[in-house]
Amino acid sequence: MKDEILTEEQAVAETVRKQVKGMIDGDLDLLKEVISPDAVFYHITGAKQSRDEWLRQIKLGRMHYFGSREILMQATVNGDEARVISRNQLDTQMVFLYFYDKT
């Protein structure tokens, strides 16, 4: 069987899929490999996290991903810039700690 040669767009999409797999498997080494150290995450709660803070939350068990169903994957490459529009239905558990000032 011949090795398949991926287009740049397919390679980018596969990297995103690796990230999702790393999330589900809790594979912090894989996530560090595929996510830039300067990445910033914006959650549906409005919270903003650095990559390392997000990975720390996964390590502590505050963010746990059980499964994913890919709904949309569009990757485009223009020179040295890649743009991805991805939609996944995630089965996840997130623990958020809120502190209220009673004064």
Side-chain angles (χ1 to χ4, degrees):
M1 182 171 159
K2 261 181 144 178
D3 288 336
E4 182 180 343
I5 298 174
L6 299 178
T7 66
E8 288 180 320
E9 287 80 5
Q10 290 169 325
V12 168
E14 284 307 307
T15 299
V16 174
R17 290 182 180 114
K18 281 183 184 180
Q19 176 182 334
V20 172
K21 180 173 177 13
M23 291 163 56
I24 293 166
D25 294 345
D27 187 338
L28 301 179
D29 291 331
L30 175 60
L31 292 171
K32 284 181 184 176
E33 176 186 321
V34 298
I35 301 171
S36 173
D38 60 352
V40 177
F41 293 84
Y42 295 91
H43 297 280
I44 60 172
T45 63
K48 178 180 167 183
Q49 287 182 311
S50 68
R51 179 198 73 171
D52 291 340
E53 178 57 28
W54 180 65
L55 293 175
R56 183 174 164 277
Q57 297 300 313
I58 293 172
K59 183 177 181 177
L60 293 173
R62 293 186 182 148
M63 304 204 51
H64 187 84
Y65 300 90
F66 299 99
S68 174
R69 183 170 67 93
E70 185 177 296
I71 298 180
L72 172 69
M73 177 65 71
Q74 295 176 337
T76 56
V77 177
N78 185 8
D80 63 353
E81 181 179 289
R83 197 170 290 253
V84 175
I85 299 172
S86 171
R87 184 177 302 146
N88 288 290
Q89 185 175 22
L90 292 170
D91 181 11
T92 184
Q93 176 181 332
M94 297 179 203
V95 177
F96 293 98
L97 303 173
Y98 294 97
F99 298 95
Y100 296 97
D101 184 359
K102 295 181 182 181
T103 60

